[in-house]
């Protein structure tokens, strides 16, 4: 980390000398928290949260890194106690076992590890690097970056790029999408009909992984049919909106869901008559209602179940 992130100072009143700026972070991540706590910690509007943190007493910089597997908040403050106080409303509603508080040095090291893919549920995943970039842009546009966090985030992005170009960390199963497809292929082969619900970045990795496994009977559904079409046409898949979701689910052997919805898009009723169906929910918040697991002919997995899938990549 360059000197700017380590020794940035703020002017103090005359006679008091320079006052060092301190980076304070707090995180809740997949390795310590269940999905319910990650849902509780997540912000509907990350941009608004960054602006809120910036308004707290003693805070001069702020950023939030939020993905389906982590919510992390960082502030630069005039003192560590001021930074912790600014983040207290985030930590007080979560269990002590799920929350990790980070001092200046640990926050810097952790950001580097996150961008490199070392802290991901799927070791070496590429999506996290783009998510760190989005955090940088969001905070930059909010006027929330200064000499500490701007330097830290740019250095983390650079380290993440080098990790992927100079090592083999992003070989093998390196996305939630490919982990979900690997799980479905082992538990229920992909020769039948596969329905992907969602058309965002994670759904894109699902479709790419399905292509590598030669899945041919594929349908992509999304709230915006045009986004589903854009993802489906290059691979020759069917596509549509969510209006006929229940009919598509009844015909599916495998369902993999990853949308940006704030509430489940697949409920018990839509799968009650679906027959033998294998479901993987990659949504955060959940895309599949928890009571779906009570259906006798439905096997449903959420993000927690994917933690063991990439283990062989980690060992390699």
């Amino acid at each position: 980390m360059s000197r700017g992130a380590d020794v940035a100072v703020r002017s103090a009143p005359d006679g008091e000398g320079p006052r060092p700026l301190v980076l304070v972070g707090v995180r809740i991540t997949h390795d310590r928290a269940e999905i319910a706590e990650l849902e509780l910690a997540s912000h509907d509007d990350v941009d608004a949260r960054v602006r809120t943190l910036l308004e707290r007493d003693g805070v001069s910089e702020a950023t939030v890194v939020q993905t389906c597997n982590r919510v992390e908040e960082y502030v630069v403050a005039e003192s560590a106690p001021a930074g912790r106080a600014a983040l207290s409303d985030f930590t007080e509603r979560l269990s002590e076992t799920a929350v990790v508080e980070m001092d200046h040095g640990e926050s810097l090291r952790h950001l580097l590890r996150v961008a490199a893919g070392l802290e991901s549920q799927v070791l070496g995943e590429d999506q996290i690097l783009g998510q760190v970039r989005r955090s940088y842009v969001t905070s930059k546009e909010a006027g929330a970056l200064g000499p500490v966090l701007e330097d830290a985030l740019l250095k983390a992005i650079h380290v993440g790029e080098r990790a992927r170009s100079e090592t083999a960390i992003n070989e093998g199963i390196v996305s939630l999408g490919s982990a979900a497809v690997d799980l479905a292929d082992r538990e229920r082969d992909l020769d039948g009909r596969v329905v992907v619900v969602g058309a965002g970045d994670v759904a894109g990795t699902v479709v790419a992984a399905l292509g590598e496994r030669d899945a041919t009977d594929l349908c992509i559904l999304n709230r915006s049919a045009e986004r589903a079409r854009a993802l489906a046409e290059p691979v020759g898949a069917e596509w549509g909106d969510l209006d006929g979701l229940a009919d598509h689910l009844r015909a599916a052997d495998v369902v993999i869901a990853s949308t940006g919805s704030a509430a489940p898009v697949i409920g018990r009723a839509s799968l009650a008559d679906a027959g033998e169906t294998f479901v993987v929910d990659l949504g955060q918040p959940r895309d599949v209602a928890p009571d779906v697991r009570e259906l006798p002919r439905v096997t449903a997995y959420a993000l927690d179940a994917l933690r063991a899938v990439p283990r062989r990549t980690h060992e390699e």
Side-chain angles (χ1 to χ4, degrees):
M1 187 65 59
S2 62
R3 286 181 57 82
D6 286 328
V7 298
V9 296
R10 168 184 288 174
S11 297
D14 291 344
E16 292 186 12
R19 180 181 299 161
L21 295 175
V22 178
L23 177 61
V24 177
V26 63
R27 70 180 191 261
I28 174 171
T29 55
H30 63 91
D31 56 337
R32 296 173 66 99
E34 299 299 325
I35 290 178
E37 285 191 290
L38 284 166
E39 288 177 338
L40 181 62
S42 296
H43 305 295
D44 293 335
D45 189 336
V46 172
D47 178 73
R49 177 60 179 175
V50 170
R51 294 177 188 275
T52 296
L53 290 172
L54 196 60
E55 294 172 355
R56 299 280 165 84
D57 290 343
V59 172
S60 58
E61 305 176 42
T63 196
V64 175
V65 180
Q66 179 169 299
T67 75
C68 56
N69 281 315
R70 69 184 62 255
V71 183
E72 302 184 358
E73 298 189 350
Y74 300 87
V75 295
V76 176
E78 56 192 20
S79 68
R84 289 192 292 270
L87 298 169
S88 62
D89 64 327
F90 175 72
T91 59
E92 66 188 9
R93 55 200 175 106
L94 303 169
S95 68
E96 292 183 4
T97 57
V99 175
V100 177
E101 296 183 346
M102 298 173 286
D103 62 16
H104 186 99
E106 185 180 358
S107 295
L108 294 173
R109 286 191 295 272
H110 183 74
L111 277 171
L112 297 179
R113 290 179 58 84
V114 167
L118 291 171
E119 297 291 336
S120 295
Q121 180 171 336
V122 180
L123 183 74
E125 58 135 341
D126 290 331
Q127 286 71 38
I128 186 61
L129 189 53
Q131 290 157 342
V132 173
R133 287 193 182 101
R134 282 198 290 273
S135 297
Y136 172 83
V137 171
T138 296
S139 296
K140 185 78 170 178
E141 292 177 346
L145 296 185
V148 178
L149 266 177
E150 180 153 26
D151 197 19
L153 287 169
L154 289 176
K155 181 65 72 173
I157 292 167
H158 178 63
V159 167
E161 291 169 345
R162 288 192 61 189
R164 287 160 178 81
S165 65
E166 298 178 21
T167 77
I169 194 171
N170 60 339
E171 295 181 4
I173 296 175
V174 291
S175 71
L176 284 174
S178 57
V181 170
D182 184 79
L183 178 63
D185 197 19
R186 287 189 289 108
E187 299 288 333
R188 183 79 52 84
D189 66 57
L190 301 173
D191 292 337
R193 186 165 182 78
V194 181
V195 173
V196 177
V197 182
D201 292 343
V202 175
T205 66
V206 171
V207 172
L210 287 167
E212 293 173 358
R213 303 296 178 100
D214 297 322
T216 56
D217 190 359
L218 175 61
C219 179
I220 301 169
L221 306 174
N222 191 57
R223 194 176 305 279
S224 165
E226 284 305 307
R227 291 194 66 181
R229 179 180 180 178
L231 194 58
E233 286 189 338
V235 296
E238 297 178 27
W239 55 274
D241 58 28
L242 299 182
D243 289 344
L245 178 60
D247 292 333
H248 286 287
L249 294 179
R250 278 192 288 271
D253 297 290
V254 173
V255 177
I256 302 177
S258 175
T259 79
S261 175
V265 296
I266 298 175
R268 177 172 176 150
S270 60
L271 283 168
D273 301 323
E276 295 288 340
T277 310
F278 187 87
V279 181
V280 184
D281 182 5
L282 298 179
Q284 172 57 34
R286 292 178 177 94
D287 284 324
V288 180
D291 60 0
V292 161
R293 293 175 177 80
E294 299 171 4
L295 295 170
R297 303 182 69 187
V298 173
T299 302
Y301 289 92
L303 282 168
D304 290 340
L306 295 181
R307 292 178 180 175
V309 175
R311 189 167 296 154
R312 63 177 178 270
T313 297
H314 187 282
E315 291 169 353
E316 290 171 2

